[in-house]
Amino acid sequence: MAKVKPRVKVPKKASVGDVVTIKTLISHKMETGLRKDKETGELIPRDIISAFEAKFNGATVFSMNLHAGISANPFVSFPMKVTEAGEFEFIWNADGEKTYSKKAKLKVA
Amino acid sequence: MTEKLQLVVSNRRHFILGATAAATLLSLPKLGFAEDNGWKAAMEGLVGSSEADANRVSIELPEIAENGNTVPFSVAVESPMTDEDHVKAVHVFATGNPRPDIGSFMFTPANGVADASSRMRLGRTQDIVAVAEMSNGQVFMATQTVKVTIGGCGG
């Protein structure tokens, strides 16, 4: 499988009290487990990102459960009310106990 | 003689069965959905009921999705998002996909507002259901129809 590459977009700077939008994208085929191999006729096993979690300064601020009904290369965006500067950690869990993560800093102006 | 009697009885039974079936069919459109791919059971499993007030939650989708492989959508819920009163989760179901579950967004008061987006796969034209679970246990739902030109469920 192609290399899984997580990408996140966090505003470089924000003011306290602002609600900013955090955008995340991870390259993943999100194989549903419903498709058949065209040559062998066998079902292709499911391989999806099933959970996403966003932490800010160590505390979970947003999470999502993903099912096979989410498109390939899952995009997730969510809001965040800025209270202090800090660091985000984004964690994606895939089938087969694979985990991908990425960090991003948020500065307060 | 007994044979004839049995025939009458069996006919009556058939009639009752037929009448019940017809009544069930007639009552279906009242629910608003002519189909159920298991989304009601999925919703019941997550929030305990398959019915909720259509209020406070909204789901945004394109009216016509040309490509069912990736249909952008966003959900939003009116809420002050305080520790006492916030949105715990929004679950999204597709009523016409092979599997009803799309995803669940779990919010915290740190989000400030309850508004999130993602992209879903849709096999065909259908209704999408968003169910919001509030911190005080209240449940709200919204539905939106989306027309799909090319289905995106592979195969």
Side-chain angles (χ1 to χ4, degrees):
Chain A
M1 189 193 153
K3 199 172 175 287
V4 174
K5 189 182 175 197
R7 273 174 284 186
V8 296
K9 202 170 179 186
V10 174
K12 285 210 175 71
K13 269 184 185 178
S15 306
V16 171
D18 282 0
V19 173
V20 296
T21 302
I22 315 295
K23 292 177 179 171
T24 71
L25 185 76
I26 185 163
S27 57
H28 196 280
K29 59 187 172 177
M30 295 291 278
E31 187 60 60
T32 61
L34 297 171
R35 292 196 315 145
K36 277 182 183 159
D37 188 306
K38 278 190 182 120
E39 278 163 26
T40 64
E42 279 171 27
L43 278 180
I44 304 169
R46 192 185 90 152
D47 182 10
I48 66 166
I49 301 264
S50 56
F52 167 74
E53 189 182 3
K55 288 181 178 179
F56 186 68
N57 289 342
T60 301
V61 290
F62 177 84
S63 58
M64 184 180 175
N65 291 337
L66 293 83
H67 297 277
I70 294 286
S71 304
N73 305 327
F75 161 85
V76 181
S77 91
F78 62 92
M80 176 75 191
K81 191 168 188 180
V82 181
T83 52
E84 55 178 345
E87 192 178 43
F88 279 103
E89 188 184 7
F90 304 95
I91 302 151
W92 291 263
N93 291 313
D95 284 344
E97 299 190 4
K98 285 186 285 260
T99 301
Y100 311 97
S101 69
K102 180 134 183 135
K103 287 181 178 178
K105 282 198 166 75
L106 178 71
K107 282 182 190 160
V108 168
Chain B
M1 181 64 196
T2 33
E3 229 176 354
K4 204 177 176 186
L5 193 71
Q6 267 174 351
L7 196 70
V8 171
V9 169
S10 107
N11 268 347
R12 186 183 295 159
R13 191 171 293 156
H14 280 148
F15 170 74
I16 293 168
L17 275 176
T20 321
T24 318
L25 278 175
L26 281 174
S27 67
L28 265 177
K30 263 193 222 157
L31 299 168
F33 301 98
E35 57 197 350
D36 184 8
N37 61 346
W39 72 269
K40 284 183 181 169
M43 177 177 166
E44 243 177 69
L46 285 169
V47 299
S49 161
S50 64
E51 279 170 44
D53 286 340
N55 196 3
R56 289 176 70 177
V57 49
S58 61
I59 178 155
E60 231 176 273
L61 280 157
E63 210 169 295
I64 298 170
E66 277 182 21
N67 180 358
N69 266 316
T70 166
V71 184
F73 71 99
S74 61
V75 292
V77 189
E78 288 169 41
S79 164
M81 292 304 275
T82 57
D83 285 342
E84 299 80 38
D85 183 7
H86 59 269
V87 182
K88 268 170 63 186
V90 178
H91 312 287
V92 181
F93 304 103
T95 63
N97 269 7
R99 298 220 181 108
D101 298 295
I102 297 290
S104 302
F105 302 95
M106 269 79 74
F107 295 97
T108 66
N111 296 119
V113 292
D115 185 344
S117 19
S118 186
R119 293 171 191 155
M120 67 170 96
R121 288 184 171 128
L122 292 175
R124 57 186 172 87
T125 297
Q126 57 184 283
D127 288 333
I128 306 302
V129 180
V131 180
E133 227 182 312
M134 316 300 275
S135 56
N136 63 4
Q138 280 182 298
V139 176
F140 300 106
M141 69 191 282
T143 61
Q144 178 74 48
T145 306
V146 53
K147 286 199 174 92
V148 177
T149 322
I150 305 165
C153 281

